[in-house]
């Protein structure tokens, strides 16, 4: 499928435009932005989206909502086929102005696949227009999935968060971070929640999940991932994973 960028479709006179692209393994899209919002879905493979505000990972049956105007970079895990829609803000206001991961139902998946095949300037009153309207309705009702790693604006705390994503450890403690930042425990916990909207334990878990998901999709052994993240073994890692996402980590292995 020929490459189609979001920038090519900024001024198309349709509220929703479908695009599809095929990427080789480990391909990266440098930071960019577009006026329309984008629901980015990987029909095959996994996409990892990063913005100045945080990081989001979309494994199978998930998609990332990227609001219009948001600077973002995308990393492909494995060979990836994206099937996305570009949406005018007025067409789906419920998605809001923050990145998020949403569940992709079987119906939404088929609609996303179909949208990528629909001509850009489709007949809004015909069958193609009906598909796009149903697609927006399904996106509007898609449940939000808690896979997010928000970054704080506090410079020293942000630097530590970014470093943690490079080498996440499930055993990291509040006291270790507070000491490293020369803060008492109470000040640190209040700052962390104010800056990220999460407790430290919640954020640490999300960071570990965001690192684990691409590795699982790449076929790495669950035991290796669990030990690398600092878990006692695959059982404790799998328990955390299933509690957070509702399915075992084996669900995300190829």
């Amino acid at each position: 499928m020929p490459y189609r960028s979001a920038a090519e479709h900024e001024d198309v006179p349709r509220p929703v435009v479908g695009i599809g692209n095929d990427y080789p393994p480990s391909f990266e899209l440098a930071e960019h932005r577009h006026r329309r919002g984008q629901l980015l879905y990987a029909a095959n493979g996994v996409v990892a989206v990063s913005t100045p505000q945080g990081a989001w990972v979309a494994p199978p049956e998930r998609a990332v909502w990227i609001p219009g105007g948001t600077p973002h970079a995308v990393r492909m895990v494995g060979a990836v086929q994206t099937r996305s829609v570009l949406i005018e803000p007025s067409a789906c206001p419920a998605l809001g102005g923050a990145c998020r991961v949403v569940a992709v139902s079987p119906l939404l998946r088929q609609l996303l696949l179909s949208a990528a095949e629909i001509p850009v300037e489709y007949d809004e009153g015909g069958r193609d227009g009906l598909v796009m309207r149903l697609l927006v309705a399904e996106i509007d009702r898609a449940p939000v999935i808690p896979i997010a790693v928000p970054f704080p604006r506090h410079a020293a705390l942000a630097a530590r968060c970014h470093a943690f994503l490079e080498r996440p450890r499930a055993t990291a403690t509040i006291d270790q971070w507070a000491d490293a930042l020369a803060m008492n425990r109470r000040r640190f916990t209040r700052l962390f929640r104010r800056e990220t909207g999460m407790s430290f334990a919640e954020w640490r878990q999300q960071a570990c999940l965001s690192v684990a998901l691409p590795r699982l999709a790449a076929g790495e052994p669950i035991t290796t991932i669990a030990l690398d993240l600092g878990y006692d073994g695959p059982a404790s890692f799998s328990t955390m994973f299933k509690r957070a996402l509702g399915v075992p980590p084996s669900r995300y292995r190829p």
Side-chain angles (χ1 to χ4, degrees):
M1 176 175 289
Y3 177 75
R4 298 168 65 187
S5 73
E8 297 174 31
H9 303 91
E10 292 284 53
D11 300 319
V12 172
R14 297 293 184 275
V16 185
V17 177
I19 61 173
N21 288 304
D22 298 347
Y23 297 97
S26 303
F27 189 85
E28 296 189 19
L29 291 172
E31 185 174 277
H32 61 287
R33 69 178 77 195
H34 29 79
R35 184 182 59 78
R36 292 176 183 246
Q38 180 181 21
L39 187 72
L40 177 61
Y41 172 64
N44 289 298
V46 172
V47 292
V49 176
S50 60
T51 78
Q53 288 75 44
W56 294 262
V57 177
E61 300 176 4
R62 304 287 186 261
V64 181
W65 168 247
I66 306 167
T70 302
H72 60 283
V74 183
R75 177 170 57 90
M76 315 298 168
V77 181
V80 173
Q81 294 180 321
T82 61
R83 301 296 181 264
S84 304
V85 283
L86 305 168
I87 306 176
E88 290 285 359
S90 59
C92 200
L95 284 171
C99 288
R100 61 185 66 186
V101 174
V102 300
V104 175
S105 66
L107 175 56
L108 180 52
R109 172 184 165 83
Q110 291 304 315
L111 290 167
L112 287 164
L113 296 178
S114 295
E117 303 297 330
I118 289 176
V120 173
E121 296 196 29
Y122 52 85
D123 178 6
E124 294 184 88
R127 180 261 183 192
D128 291 344
L130 287 172
V131 168
M132 292 303 196
R133 288 195 293 277
L134 179 57
L135 172 58
V136 170
E138 283 299 298
I139 293 172
D140 192 54
R141 66 189 295 272
V144 176
I145 305 298
I147 305 178
V149 187
F151 296 144
R153 288 175 292 181
H154 185 280
L157 183 57
R160 190 160 183 87
C161 287
H162 283 281
F164 185 84
L165 274 181
E166 294 297 321
R167 296 191 65 182
R169 300 293 295 176
T171 54
T173 68
I174 289 175
D175 290 332
Q176 289 170 346
W177 279 49
D179 288 346
L181 294 169
M183 298 180 188
N184 62 43
R185 182 185 178 94
R186 183 179 180 186
R187 182 186 171 203
F188 172 82
T189 55
R190 292 175 64 181
L191 173 68
F192 198 93
R193 184 174 287 280
R194 184 175 72 243
E195 290 281 323
T196 67
M198 295 180 174
S199 71
F200 175 75
E202 291 169 334
W203 188 93
R204 181 187 60 198
Q205 176 179 281
Q206 290 298 301
C208 287
L209 284 171
S210 75
V211 171
L213 284 166
R215 293 182 63 178
L216 288 167
E220 291 190 41
I222 293 172
T223 298
T224 300
I225 297 170
L227 295 177
D228 284 352
L229 292 176
Y231 288 92
D232 293 336
S236 57
F237 170 70
S238 296
T239 298
M240 177 281 295
F241 194 100
K242 189 169 184 179
R243 186 169 59 244
L245 298 182
V247 294
S250 57
R251 173 66 182 80
Y252 292 109
R253 298 191 75 237

